[in-house]
Amino acid sequence: MSRHARPTVVLVHGAFADASSFARVIPELTAAGMEVVAPAVPNRSLVDDAAYIASVVRAVEGPVILVGHSYGGAVITVAGTQDNVQALVYLAGYALEEGESLGELQGRFPDSGLADALVYTPFPVPGSDETGTDVSVAAEKFPALFAADVDPELAAVLAVSQRPLAARAFGEAAPAAAWRSKPSWGLVATYDRTINPDVERYGYERAGMTTVEVDSSHLVMLAQPKAVAELILEAVRSTAH
């Protein structure tokens, strides 16, 4: 692979987390010579979040490998239609079909236990008298559900520094499914208690992805960073020209 053609890896975090959730994967990728961008996702709506990430992707010179964790998988499903996206990588993520919402995909399978731990908080909507609703995970339940195999001290910090997801994002239909036109890879976190692993498997199989299964909690990037980095690098190698 020529230096000019080397892609940039864009890491898209999910709900209840932020870009620091990639803190252990980024050094693995940079050590392998990759350029990395890890933007902050607004987590306000699927369509708007995807538009924002698409703008980040367009600002990158050259090809992009677009990686999404959890809700970030839904975001890259839409944003990944950008011309310079070479491949998609899903990490314990939602691979939506065009016209499908998070709620619809998740509703096909038994609940993971997350629903009973969710907290709903109103927030002001700029320019409107209406309020939105932020969804987060009860801090005391976060470590066991989200990060059971992450260092307990770190999990405790993550629990109180969540980036919530606006409730409207759960019901919005994906206007596109980039995996239909881009090669895709998927990682199933087999011990996931945030998303039922069968939700992950179903989406990946439907998309015809190259799939691996890793014994990990939902926060696989912090629990198993080498396995995550290797899957991303496999996507890089497989799409090299």
Side-chain angles (χ1 to χ4, degrees):
M1 189 190 313
S2 71
R3 189 171 184 272
H4 179 72
R6 185 180 294 274
T8 297
V9 178
V10 176
L11 302 170
V12 181
H13 68 79
F16 322 132
D18 60 23
S20 69
S21 57
F22 291 105
R24 296 188 67 194
V25 171
I26 291 170
E28 299 281 343
L29 296 175
T30 55
M34 303 306 304
E35 295 289 333
V36 178
V37 177
V41 183
N43 281 6
R44 298 294 81 182
S45 88
L46 175 58
V47 173
D48 292 346
D49 293 342
Y52 175 73
I53 293 301
S55 75
V56 172
V57 168
R58 288 194 300 272
V60 174
E61 291 188 13
V64 164
I65 304 296
L66 192 55
V67 181
H69 173 244
S70 190
Y71 167 68
V75 174
I76 70 169
T77 296
V78 180
T81 57
Q82 298 303 301
D83 289 343
N84 60 330
V85 173
Q86 284 194 324
L88 307 172
V89 181
Y90 291 78
L91 306 174
Y94 294 102
L96 300 180
E97 175 60 280
E98 183 177 347
E100 184 178 53
S101 70
L102 290 172
E104 287 171 339
L105 175 55
Q106 195 156 265
R108 296 193 178 103
F109 298 87
D111 182 63
S112 62
L114 176 67
D116 293 336
L118 295 178
V119 177
Y120 301 89
T121 308
F123 68 86
V125 176
S128 172
D129 293 332
E130 302 293 319
T131 59
T133 301
D134 261 340
V135 183
S136 58
V137 180
E140 70 276 10
K141 297 180 179 180
F142 181 98
L145 282 174
F146 214 74
D149 49 358
V150 174
D151 177 84
E153 290 185 359
L154 176 56
V157 171
L158 297 173
V160 299
S161 59
Q162 295 176 49
R163 192 180 187 99
L165 178 65
R168 65 179 289 195
F170 290 94
E172 287 185 319
W179 50 258
R180 287 193 166 276
S181 58
K182 312 281 184 173
S184 303
W185 283 257
L187 183 150
V188 176
T190 59
Y191 298 148
D192 201 330
R193 294 184 60 199
T194 299
I195 300 176
N196 183 332
D198 285 339
V199 173
E200 301 163 18
R201 293 185 183 102
Y202 174 81
Y204 300 166
E205 290 169 6
R206 178 173 62 180
M209 293 186 198
T210 302
T211 303
V212 300
E213 301 214 354
V214 175
D215 292 339
S216 172
S217 69
H218 189 59
L219 273 180
V220 62
M221 309 90 72
L222 288 171
Q224 299 285 347
K226 290 185 182 299
V228 169
E230 180 50 42
L231 185 64
I232 295 169
L233 293 171
E234 179 184 329
V236 172
R237 290 190 293 267
S238 296
T239 55
H241 299 299

